[in-house]
Amino acid sequence: MVTVKKGLGVSLKRKEDIRLLTGNGQFTDDIEKPGMLHLAIVRSPHAHARIVNIDASKAKKLPGVVAVLTGEEALQYSGPLAPTINIFNKVPEVYAIAYKKVRYVGEPVAVIAAEDRYIAEDAVDLIEVEYEVLPAVVTIEDALEPKALLYEEWGDNKQLESRTTIGDIDDAFANSEYVFEETITHNRYTGTPMESRVCIAEYNPGSKKMTVTCSTQAPSQVRTLIAQTLQMPEHNIRVIAPDVGGGYGTKLQANAEIIACIMARMLGKPVKWTEDRVENILTGVHSRDYTCTVKIGFDKDFRITGLQAKLIGNIWVDGTCHAPGTPALSVAGAYFPGPYKVPVYDIEIIGVVSNKAPYGAHRGYGKDIANYPIERMMDIAARKLGISPEELRRRNFIKKDEFPYQQISGPLYDSGDFDKLMDLVMDKIDYQNFKKKQLELRKQGKYIGLGIAAMLEPSGAAVFNGIFNGYQAATVRMTPEGHFQVLTSHQNIGQGVETTIPQVVSQVMDVDIDDIRFVYGDTDITPYGLGPFSSRGATYTVSAVYEAAKMLKEKLLKIAGYLLKEDPENLEMANGTVRVKGTTNPEAAISLKEIGNKVYLWPGSYATVPEGIDCNLEATYTWTSKVVKWEPDEHGRVNLYTTHPTGVFVALVEVDIKTGLVKVDKFVVSHDCGTIINPMIADGQIAGGIAHGIGGVLLEDLAYDSNGLMTNPDFQHYLCPTAMDVSDIETIHMQSPSPFTPLGTKGMGEGGTIPSPAAVANAVEDALSPFGVIVKDLPITPERVLEWIKQGEMQNVKS
């Protein structure tokens, strides 16, 4: 018996896995072009310096070197990098190859084109650059002092600054029964995708057409950025993204890609740049790195009376042109209240530039920044109030019947049930028995802990003043043989869209997903769109595909009705045919293949398509959200996100007090992303996100010395989690469909990463509560744990 694969809510195996696991995928670095040259980039060894002179004479004499280009020479081919995003922040003038001044270690100062990669790399060592070294701005304190100015024309190092107060915060605190204040910090880390960035650029001087093949999440936006930066007509640029080995937000920009385009245009030959792992860690997009002072008041019933936060983010050299990170701080400002009811709110945001690598997105984009402080604060407050962390959250949760809920900070939450999510996860872990076991093990010198973090994941951003706008187009096309193609700009970066998108079409058309192919990654073929970022696939792309499929279905039913001489209202689609509803009579049915053949081939459209219906068996739909609000109200509040997946994450950890080692034994997750398309893929998204979160809270840390030099730009020293570090993960799904999308779907790609650091930190504190340990700086390394235990023991002795 043949198993038909179709429909929503089915855990179908990923269609793309066979190709990828058998080595038949094609990544950008797999591609070779005739006569192709290879690029190597000369990078600054200094964090902050003026470029005095560049001598490339020795490199140019090396056999096999074809060209050397400096930043000053590149000005004849390129303008400054086009901004990716600009929301109430300063936009600096920066270039793909540094001109006059470098602002971070690893910034390009020259590029070499050679006959092979080895020659190009050898030539790097022959370039002599004279620098005038300037003071390095590394920390937030350095930036605010200021120790030096990155952009002298600004007069300070603040790229973003805002303050919003809703209600009387001083009065709220004055009338609170309890008020707590803590300063919470977060370390800096990055996404480390399996595939680093790669770019092949080809320029045809005759046609003046540029073809760019690259590892990107956003082919359409990259095309736009290239056009604006190189001042080329965009219709002459084609961007192709083949298989992409992970993105996580770290592949949304076009800066080094511009260098390849400049060289291809200058030389008239194809060129390839492949980023090695050191370059990726040293100069790629980084995230987090902030300090947040949170002050929160409660009444006598432990309900929040007011919330105040001051967020200062170290957004590094730039978060608008090199990468789109700066507005993540504003997103955090909108989401500090999270899943809780907050009657009075005060938020101050400062984003400072420093001599570190560019700031961008990594599975969170501000939502992570908002979640960690508030979820840490709920545990800290619960401990001081003498109430369980579970109960304190329950008393402040937004309730099921209050959705859609307008949060005080502006966002409109679509649907959810936090109490039910808490019930599910606490029942699963058997909380009371866990606490008994915890006490018994402490007598044996073993320390286990449980940490809770509630999660709210804004998904499907529609951002004004940037390339991350709020729409998505999709085309659904039927071939003459009755099969389907779905064309969108939504790039496959490992999230399973070659399976889930066909599942949506199969639901509408009632056909097997193997009869549907998802087409992406080529700006000359797919409609312009915005690609995968902000967990927007299930919000925007799925909605566009669904509506386009419905439009095509309506057209097919009308054509079938004309051919069968039946009212289309009496017809239905079933198993690759159109038939009279409820009948099994083959005379009252026609296959999709037969319709395709009749319309496109024999006898043709004039005899088969009714008047008023176009004969092209395809439909295009552009989906936009009806709840996005860009016009600020009197408090400057907007609503950029359409859907809000929710969850409660519980981490169970064991801490070895002799070594300081933290082991995450298990994550238990209750999760709600609305209507689920493929439960197996949803589980994988959560597990992958938790792995990223575990890495950030326990292992990963991009460390800089006082001169702005990164001390661990490789996998020997920058520690990423392996399968041995990732715990067992048990996920319980709850579905509260969104009223704001046609299928009730919500995004979920960032949901695992956002709450897991707070859950682990809270669990470590719970495990070590006999020592009075407070988790401070991240990551939670063995050395830090031992120091905290020592401090706690000394404090207990004093007490």
Side-chain angles (χ1 to χ4, degrees):
M1 180 178 177
V2 176
T3 301
V4 178
K5 301 187 288 294
K6 59 186 175 183
L8 304 183
V10 184
S11 289
L12 301 177
K13 292 183 178 180
R14 298 188 351 153
K15 295 174 66 174
E16 52 267 56
D17 284 352
I18 294 176
R19 180 182 82 251
L20 297 172
L21 294 174
T22 57
N24 290 301
Q26 186 179 59
F27 299 84
T28 304
D29 199 45
D30 295 328
I31 299 170
E32 296 292 328
K33 300 285 184 178
M36 185 168 68
L37 302 174
H38 294 261
L39 304 182
I41 296 173
V42 182
R43 298 184 179 277
S44 169
H46 303 292
H48 199 193
R50 300 190 194 283
I51 301 171
V52 178
N53 184 56
I54 300 177
D55 184 353
S57 58
K58 293 179 182 178
K60 290 178 179 178
K61 293 176 182 177
L62 184 68
V65 170
V66 175
V68 179
L69 186 71
T70 65
E72 186 171 3
E73 293 166 340
L75 295 179
Q76 61 185 305
Y77 301 98
S78 171
L81 292 174
T84 61
I85 196 165
N86 176 14
I87 305 181
F88 314 127
N89 52 254
K90 300 170 186 173
V91 178
E93 185 176 283
V94 293
Y95 295 82
I97 307 173
Y99 168 56
K100 292 186 178 180
K101 188 178 181 181
V102 293
R103 295 182 176 88
Y104 61 97
V105 172
E107 184 168 10
V109 296
V111 61
I112 296 159
E115 293 172 358
D116 64 43
R117 174 82 178 269
Y118 299 98
I119 295 172
E121 294 287 354
D122 287 344
V124 167
D125 296 331
L126 299 177
I127 302 287
E128 297 176 356
V129 185
E130 182 183 351
Y131 297 96
E132 176 193 338
V133 179
L134 301 171
V137 176
V138 181
T139 65
I140 289 172
E141 292 74 19
D142 289 344
L144 293 175
E145 190 177 326
K147 194 172 180 181
L149 294 177
L150 267 70
Y151 304 99
E152 288 84 356
E153 63 273 21
W154 289 3
D156 58 30
N157 288 318
K158 297 177 182 178
Q159 189 169 17
L160 176 67
E161 190 171 15
S162 68
R163 178 79 180 264
T164 300
T165 302
I166 304 165
D168 191 328
I169 193 67
D170 293 330
D171 183 68
F173 289 147
N175 290 289
S176 296
E177 193 77 16
Y178 311 94
V179 178
F180 306 112
E181 183 174 350
E182 294 286 343
T183 295
I184 294 166
T185 64
H186 203 297
N187 57 317
R188 168 189 180 95
Y189 68 111
T190 185
T192 59
M194 291 178 66
E195 178 198 25
S196 60
R197 292 162 64 193
V198 187
C199 181
I200 298 172
E202 306 168 77
Y203 182 73
N204 186 317
S207 64
K208 297 183 179 180
K209 181 178 179 180
M210 178 81 75
T211 301
V212 181
T213 305
C214 60
S215 175
T216 180
Q217 294 177 233
S220 292
Q221 292 105 308
V222 165
R223 186 183 73 182
T224 295
L225 291 172
I226 291 171
Q228 292 180 354
T229 302
L230 298 185
Q231 299 167 2
M232 285 183 64
E234 189 165 347
H235 67 275
N236 283 348
I237 302 171
R238 179 186 186 186
V239 174
I240 301 169
D243 289 320
V244 174
Y248 316 123
T250 65
K251 294 179 179 176
L252 289 171
Q253 69 279 15
N255 48 20
E257 291 82 357
I258 295 294
I259 296 174
C261 293
I262 292 171
M263 297 302 284
R265 195 176 181 185
M266 182 178 82
L267 299 173
K269 290 185 176 183
V271 301
K272 178 192 279 189
W273 169 70
T274 299
E275 179 184 60
D276 64 34
R277 185 56 63 180
V278 171
E279 287 179 304
N280 177 259
I281 295 176
L282 185 67
T283 70
V285 169
H286 301 164
S287 186
R288 284 47 169 188
D289 198 353
Y290 62 84
T291 180
C292 184
T293 298
V294 181
K295 190 174 182 180
I296 188 167
F298 295 91
D299 65 17
K300 60 182 177 62
D301 295 319
F302 305 150
R303 290 185 171 84
I304 295 171
T305 55
L307 175 63
Q308 183 179 57
K310 181 176 181 179
L311 172 66
I312 307 178
N314 189 337
I315 53 179
W316 320 320
V317 66
D318 163 50
T320 56
C321 299
H322 283 104
T326 303
L329 301 180
S330 297
V331 171
Y335 282 97
F336 275 118
Y340 307 112
K341 289 186 278 190
V342 175
V344 181
Y345 184 51
D346 180 55
I347 175 67
E348 181 180 2
I349 301 168
I350 300 173
V352 297
V353 290
S354 66
N355 295 123
K356 294 182 178 180
Y359 179 46
H362 166 37
R363 237 171 173 168
Y365 201 75
K367 314 150 196 180
D368 52 295
I369 297 174
N371 182 269
Y372 185 74
I374 192 65
E375 290 304 313
R376 290 286 292 115
M377 200 66 194
M378 292 301 281
D379 262 46
I380 292 168
R383 185 167 55 252
K384 293 182 177 181
L385 291 168
I387 186 174
S388 75
E390 171 198 357
E391 180 59 26
L392 185 60
R393 287 175 170 84
R394 286 186 185 274
R395 293 196 186 195
N396 291 283
F397 275 153
I398 299 161
K399 302 304 178 183
K400 178 183 178 180
D401 60 2
E402 294 176 307
F403 287 95
Y405 184 85
Q406 185 78 55
Q407 185 54 274
I408 188 171
S409 49
L412 179 64
Y413 299 169
D414 48 337
S415 61
D417 187 347
F418 284 103
D419 284 304
K420 180 65 174 177
L421 290 167
M422 185 68 83
D423 289 341
L424 290 170
V425 75
M426 297 309 280
D427 288 347
K428 181 61 66 173
I429 62 173
D430 194 355
Y431 182 69
Q432 294 304 322
N433 279 335
F434 175 86
K435 299 306 287 185
K436 291 179 182 178
K437 180 182 178 182
Q438 184 183 52
L439 292 174
E440 292 170 0
L441 288 175
R442 283 177 184 170
K443 296 175 183 177
Q444 304 171 29
K446 295 181 180 179
Y447 293 84
I448 63 173
L450 180 152
I452 302 171
M455 184 276 292
L456 181 106
E457 179 196 357
S459 64
V463 185
F464 53 89
N465 282 8
I467 61 171
F468 306 104
N469 216 295
Y471 61 90
Q472 186 66 41
T475 298
V476 179
R477 174 185 299 154
M478 194 178 90
T479 69
E481 291 297 288
H483 299 150
F484 294 88
Q485 294 176 318
V486 185
L487 295 85
T488 85
S489 65
H490 197 84
Q491 183 68 28
N492 187 357
I493 55 174
Q495 74 278 48
V497 287
E498 291 184 44
T499 305
T500 54
I501 295 299
Q503 283 185 254
V504 173
V505 177
S506 76
Q507 176 79 11
V508 176
M509 300 296 185
D510 200 48
V511 297
D512 194 301
I513 69 165
D514 285 342
D515 294 335
I516 305 165
R517 185 164 74 89
F518 183 54
V519 182
Y520 59 90
D522 189 334
T523 59
D524 271 10
I525 296 173
T526 61
Y528 193 97
L530 304 184
F533 65 90
S534 182
S535 302
R536 68 192 299 276
T539 300
Y540 278 85
T541 304
V542 162
S543 298
V545 169
Y546 175 71
E547 295 292 354
K550 284 203 310 179
M551 290 171 63
L552 178 55
K553 177 181 179 179
E554 183 180 358
K555 184 186 293 188
L556 290 170
L557 290 174
K558 289 179 179 179
I559 293 172
Y562 184 76
L563 294 172
L564 294 172
K565 296 181 172 49
E566 285 281 351
D567 185 340
E569 295 292 325
N570 295 331
L571 300 178
E572 64 182 0
M573 299 183 81
N575 296 318
T577 65
V578 181
R579 68 187 184 191
V580 175
K581 291 178 181 177
T583 186
T584 57
N585 180 6
E587 299 290 325
I590 184 171
S591 70
L592 295 177
K593 179 178 180 179
E594 190 175 354
I595 293 174
N597 271 245
K598 284 181 179 293
V599 171
Y600 283 126
L601 304 172
W602 303 281
S605 59
Y606 291 105
T608 57
V609 178
E611 187 175 347
I613 304 298
D614 73 80
C615 60
N616 200 15
L617 300 182
E618 66 177 52
T620 298
Y621 190 94
T622 300
W623 194 83
T624 58
S625 171
K626 295 180 180 179
V627 299
V628 167
K629 177 187 174 186
W630 282 356
E631 187 68 31
D633 67 9
E634 69 275 16
H635 297 292
R637 295 175 296 190
V638 294
N639 181 48
L640 305 183
Y641 294 86
T642 298
T643 62
H644 293 80
T646 54
V648 174
F649 284 55
V650 172
L652 304 176
V653 307
E654 182 177 351
V655 184
D656 188 328
I657 64 170
K658 294 181 180 179
T659 65
L661 185 67
V662 176
K663 180 187 177 187
V664 182
D665 289 325
K666 189 170 186 177
F667 256 98
V668 180
V669 177
S670 57
H671 191 267
D672 178 4
C673 61
T675 303
I676 298 176
I677 298 172
N678 186 312
M680 181 175 64
I681 289 178
D683 287 345
Q685 288 279 348
I686 292 170
I690 288 174
H692 268 140
I694 289 174
V697 72
L698 295 182
L699 297 166
E700 300 180 53
D701 184 33
L702 293 163
Y704 285 79
D705 66 17
S706 60
N707 295 314
L709 178 66
M710 187 187 293
T711 59
N712 59 341
D714 56 59
F715 279 161
Q716 285 184 299
H717 303 93
Y718 181 80
L719 304 179
C720 289
T722 68
M724 299 299 291
D725 300 300
V726 178
S727 64
D728 291 337
I729 299 168
E730 184 172 356
T731 302
I732 311 155
H733 292 289
M734 188 187 86
Q735 298 186 57
S736 56
S738 173
F740 301 151
T741 59
L743 283 172
T745 51
K746 307 178 185 182
M748 61 168 301
E750 301 156 291
T753 307
I754 290 168
S756 44
V760 171
N762 290 338
V764 170
E765 279 190 356
D766 181 53
L768 299 178
S769 58
F771 302 97
V773 165
I774 303 295
V775 170
K776 297 176 183 175
D777 295 331
L778 300 181
I780 304 173
T781 62
E783 295 82 2
R784 283 176 171 156
V785 170
L786 292 176
E787 180 61 27
W788 296 335
I789 292 173
K790 181 180 177 181
Q791 291 173 359
E793 289 175 330
M794 292 175 63
Q795 187 64 39
N796 287 338
V797 169
K798 291 179 181 179
S799 300

